[in-house]
């Protein structure tokens, strides 16, 4: 049996199924069909959507992947993380079951190994959607190997056996994604640390886990492992959790982190790392002007992403790039008019759903536009996002500070779940829905939701923004009772009450008098 790829540890039956789908060891690269109308580099979300969409519309497409089809999302990102988050939520539900009248016997334990096995099983179950076989059956020529541009119109693919094939193309799309990139912390290279790329290969629960960075990945995994039973230390340079999110939202999540026993070390500056006894790791820092150190068994570095541009030989095709990624215009076209890019390699929105919709723009602009006609703009996308802590934090559009910096005057409407019946009944009163509208109107410019299912709820507001529907329309839309989404409708009621001016009240008084007397 061939050695498994590094991300796919342990080499159990589920990872073997995953590998057989997303990087079959016996795969034979096809004989090129020259020229390809579109060559796609990278088989993550952006690349897969581009290749499938273009082939479905009749284009002759080649897809090149150096490692695992499905990219970060399937293999080391969205899918495995949500699998383990779900297990951690169940563990927390058992812990808190007594408040619902459920008596949990003493000694109930949590099996981390089984939770991770479940994640691997479900990841393998999902993997046929991104498999080499499925895309080949779409009529796409799938190549495994390292891609490198030769000149404007030709791309080389070097397979694992050293053989090289040359692909001639009319247009190309670079969708090679990004990877975890550790910050320059002194001593970090002297220890074996975790990133999202190897975290999901763990089979034993760390007794003590350090997490550097309280952004989405760091926060999600800190809470997950704390609920599994790890002693978790969260190191954050700033003075609050989720530093890029709405401060009120971060405060709600912080309250739950305290309940989960996470030790949050804010203002942690001048981090240094060194090996400790018995394979442990010592993290040194300065906090509030005083030196401090913590010893952990594993250290997760959850800050920093770097674009996968190395080895692509972009200079040969005049594609500008830097440490933040490939330079693209609003049409996702690079500095070479024949080459486009999509996804994490070129976008500040490093989300699977953003890559998906950028790929759709690339298909249109690369294959079906003529000059300026028929082109779509990336700036036209309304992109929501969510952090899958408990509770979740979801956002779309502008934050208050964004509006202030842009000189946009806003009205802000907030509905707390403590006043929403379903949230009370679920025991999920913490959190809120906050919507910003242009001053004096119901036009939505941004929103934040903090709730157990905020990632699902934000879509109603995203749809309203995309369709140009105001908060008043949401208020006049019947929502089932009782649901937590009723909080969004209540905001519509809040807006409607602002329209009751002295003049409108006077008119209503007159109409009432005509109908039923004074």
């Amino acid at each position: 049996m061939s050695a498994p790829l590094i991300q796919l540890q342990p080499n159990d039956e589920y990872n073997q199924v995953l590998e057989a789908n997303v990087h079959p060891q016996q795969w034979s690269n096809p004989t090129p069909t020259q020229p390809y109308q579109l060559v796609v580099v990278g088989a993550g979300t952006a690349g897969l959507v581009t290749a499938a969409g273009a082939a479905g519309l009749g284009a002759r497409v080649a897809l090149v992947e150096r490692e695992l089809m499905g990219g970060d999302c399937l293999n080391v990102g969205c899918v495995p993380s949500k699998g383990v988050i779900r297990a951690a939520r169940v563990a927390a539900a058992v812990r808190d079951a007594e408040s619902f009248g459920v008596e949990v016997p003493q000694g109930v334990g949590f099996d981390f190994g089984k939770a991770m096995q479940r994640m691997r099983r479900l990841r393998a179950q999902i993997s046929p959607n991104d498999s080499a076989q499925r895309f080949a059956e779409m009529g796409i020529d799938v190549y495994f190997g390292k891609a490198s541009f030769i000149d404007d119109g030709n791309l080389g693919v070097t397979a694992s056996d050293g053989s090289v094939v040359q692909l001639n193309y009319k247009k190309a799309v670079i969708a090679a994604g990004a990877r975890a990139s550790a910050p320059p912390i002194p001593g970090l290279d002297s220890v074996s640390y975790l990133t999202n790329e190897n975290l999901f290969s763990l089979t034993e629960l760390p007794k003590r886990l350090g997490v550097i960075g309280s952004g989405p990945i760091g926060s999600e995994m800190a809470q997950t492992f704390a609920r599994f039973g790890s002693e978790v230390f969260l190191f954050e340079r700033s003075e609050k959790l989720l530093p890029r999110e709405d401060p009120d939202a971060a405060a709600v999540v912080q309250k739950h982190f305290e309940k989960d026993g996470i030790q949050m070390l804010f203002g942690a500056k001048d981090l240094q790392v060194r090996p400790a006894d018995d394979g442990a790791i010592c993290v040194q820092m300065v906090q509030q002007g005083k030196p401090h150190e913590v010893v952990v068994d594993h250290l997760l570095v959850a800050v920093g992403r770097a674009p996968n541009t190395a080895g692509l030989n972009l200079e040969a095709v005049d594609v500008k790039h830097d440490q933040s990624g490939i330079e693209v215009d609003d049409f996702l076209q690079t500095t070479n008019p024949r080459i486009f890019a999509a996804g994490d390699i070129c976008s500040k929105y490093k989300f699977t759903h953003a890559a998906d919709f950028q790929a759709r723009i690339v298909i249109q602009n690369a294959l079906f536009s003529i000059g300026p006609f028929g082109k779509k703009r990336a700036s036209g996308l309304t992109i929501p996002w969510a952090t899958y802590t408990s509770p979740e934090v979801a956002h779309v559009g502008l934050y208050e500070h964004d509006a202030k910096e842009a000189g946009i005057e806003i009205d802000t409407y907030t509905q707390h779940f403590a006043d929403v019946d379903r949230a009370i009944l679920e025991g999920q009163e913490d959190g809120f829905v906050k919507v910003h509208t242009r001053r004096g109107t119901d036009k939505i410019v941004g929103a934040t939701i903090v709730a157990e299912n905020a990632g699902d709820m934000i879509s109603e507001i995203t749809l309203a923004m995309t369709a140009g529907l105001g908060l008043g329309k949401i208020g006049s839309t019947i929502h089932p009772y009782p649901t937590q989404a009723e909080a969004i409708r209540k905001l519509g009621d809040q807006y409607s009450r602002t329209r009751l001016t002295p003049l409108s009240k006077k008119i209503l008084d007159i109409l009432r008098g005509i109908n039923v007397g004074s």
Side-chain angles (χ1 to χ4, degrees):
M1 183 180 296
S2 59
L5 298 170
I6 189 168
Q7 294 97 329
L8 303 184
Q9 298 289 344
N11 188 24
D12 64 4
E13 59 181 304
Y14 304 119
N15 277 339
Q16 290 170 20
V17 170
L18 175 63
E19 181 176 349
N21 282 323
V22 300
H23 193 138
Q25 290 298 304
Q26 305 306 317
W27 187 264
S28 296
N29 284 340
T31 301
T33 303
Q34 306 289 6
Y36 288 103
Q37 294 169 320
L38 193 68
V39 165
V40 181
V41 178
T45 298
L48 294 176
V49 174
T50 300
L57 293 170
R60 192 164 55 254
V61 179
L63 176 62
V64 183
E65 171 55 48
R66 68 176 182 174
E67 199 164 64
L68 303 176
M69 293 183 67
D72 272 15
C73 182
L74 172 67
N75 300 291
V76 296
C78 316
V79 169
S81 67
K82 302 313 165 283
V84 297
I85 285 171
R86 174 57 180 150
R89 287 186 176 183
V90 172
V94 172
R95 177 196 67 191
D96 300 333
E98 187 176 352
S99 65
F100 293 89
V102 179
E103 295 183 5
V104 179
Q106 293 291 326
V108 172
F110 181 85
D111 191 323
F112 177 78
K114 287 185 177 179
M116 297 300 279
Q117 183 184 64
R118 171 185 179 274
M119 175 274 292
R120 294 192 299 274
R121 173 174 58 81
L122 297 178
R123 180 174 60 180
Q125 180 180 326
I126 292 170
S127 66
N129 293 323
D130 296 347
S131 68
Q133 184 62 39
R134 176 171 181 255
F135 278 75
E137 289 171 356
M138 293 181 190
I140 298 165
D141 283 355
V142 177
Y143 295 85
F144 284 100
K146 296 179 180 179
S148 180
F149 286 95
I150 299 170
D151 54 40
D152 194 12
N154 291 286
L155 178 83
V157 180
T158 303
S160 58
D161 62 4
S163 61
V164 180
V165 64
Q166 182 170 314
L167 310 182
N168 181 253
Y169 64 85
K170 297 293 186 180
K171 297 282 181 69
V173 178
I174 304 172
R179 66 188 184 281
S181 176
I185 297 174
L188 188 60
D189 290 341
S190 68
V191 301
S192 179
Y193 61 89
L194 300 168
T195 69
N196 71 292
E197 294 176 358
N198 55 6
L199 175 68
F200 302 109
S201 294
L202 292 178
T203 56
E204 295 183 5
L205 180 69
K207 183 177 180 181
R208 299 165 298 181
L209 176 68
V211 180
I212 296 178
S214 75
I217 296 174
S219 292
E220 289 175 3
M221 292 300 101
Q223 187 178 41
T224 294
F225 278 78
R227 289 177 160 188
F228 285 163
S230 294
E231 184 180 10
V232 176
F233 301 87
L234 182 58
F235 306 98
E236 172 54 53
R237 182 177 179 83
S238 73
E239 296 297 334
K240 71 181 187 72
L241 193 69
L242 295 168
R244 296 185 180 181
E245 286 295 343
D246 181 293
D248 295 334
V252 174
V253 177
Q254 182 171 330
K255 175 183 173 182
H256 284 258
F257 275 26
E258 291 167 354
K259 177 182 178 181
D260 288 322
I262 299 169
Q263 299 184 51
M264 292 166 282
L265 302 169
F266 297 121
K269 297 178 172 59
D270 300 326
L271 259 61
Q272 297 185 49
V273 176
R274 62 176 173 81
D277 295 337
D278 299 323
I281 299 169
C282 180
V283 181
Q284 299 172 306
M285 77 204 81
V286 174
Q287 192 180 27
Q288 297 179 342
K290 297 180 180 180
H292 185 50
E293 67 177 37
V294 174
V295 176
V296 297
D297 300 300
H298 285 280
L299 181 63
L300 171 62
V301 178
V303 289
R305 301 284 291 170
N308 291 322
T309 54
L312 292 178
N313 195 25
L314 298 176
E315 294 76 13
V317 285
D318 296 322
V319 170
K320 288 186 179 180
H321 62 98
D322 57 25
Q323 62 183 7
S324 64
I326 289 176
E327 179 181 320
V328 292
D329 61 17
D330 202 17
F331 305 110
L332 299 180
Q333 194 169 36
T334 71
T335 48
N336 182 323
R338 297 177 65 182
I339 300 176
F340 293 75
D344 290 4
I345 201 165
C346 67
S347 174
K348 68 176 182 178
Y349 298 106
K350 300 192 186 306
F351 310 119
T352 295
H353 48 282
D356 181 328
F357 277 77
Q358 288 171 358
R360 298 165 193 246
I361 289 174
V362 164
I363 294 169
Q364 174 67 30
N365 294 346
L367 300 179
F368 302 108
S369 65
I370 299 177
F373 301 104
K375 284 189 174 181
K376 293 184 177 180
R377 294 180 178 271
S379 59
L381 296 175
T382 300
I383 302 174
W385 57 86
T387 298
Y388 298 95
T389 48
S390 290
E392 297 175 356
V393 179
H395 180 82
V396 64
L398 302 179
Y399 293 99
E400 290 180 69
H401 65 83
D402 293 329
K404 185 176 181 180
E405 291 171 5
I408 300 173
E409 294 187 341
I410 61 172
D411 294 317
T412 299
Y413 301 90
T414 303
Q415 176 63 56
H416 292 277
F417 283 106
D419 296 315
V420 176
D421 293 355
R422 181 62 182 273
I424 294 170
L425 297 168
E426 295 281 352
Q428 298 171 355
E429 300 99 317
D430 289 341
F432 56 83
V433 180
K434 181 185 291 186
V435 171
H436 308 301
T437 63
R438 284 189 178 272
R439 177 67 55 83
T441 77
D442 71 341
K443 180 179 174 57
I444 302 170
V445 297
T448 296
I449 302 178
V450 186
E452 280 300 309
N453 295 298
D456 293 308
M457 294 175 65
I458 197 69
S459 294
E460 179 175 5
I461 298 175
T462 306
L463 173 62
M465 293 176 65
T466 302
L469 301 175
L471 200 53
K473 285 289 187 182
I474 292 178
S476 64
T477 300
I478 299 174
H479 288 59
Y481 175 89
T483 60
Q484 294 196 23
E486 190 185 15
I488 302 174
R489 183 197 59 75
K490 285 175 175 284
L491 292 179
D493 290 344
Q494 287 187 31
Y495 166 74
S496 295
R497 286 194 290 271
T498 68
R499 301 178 65 192
L500 190 61
T501 63
L503 176 60
S504 61
K505 187 177 185 303
K506 187 174 182 179
I507 293 172
L508 290 174
D509 288 342
I510 293 171
L511 292 173
R512 187 184 64 247
I514 292 172
N515 281 281
V516 295
S518 58

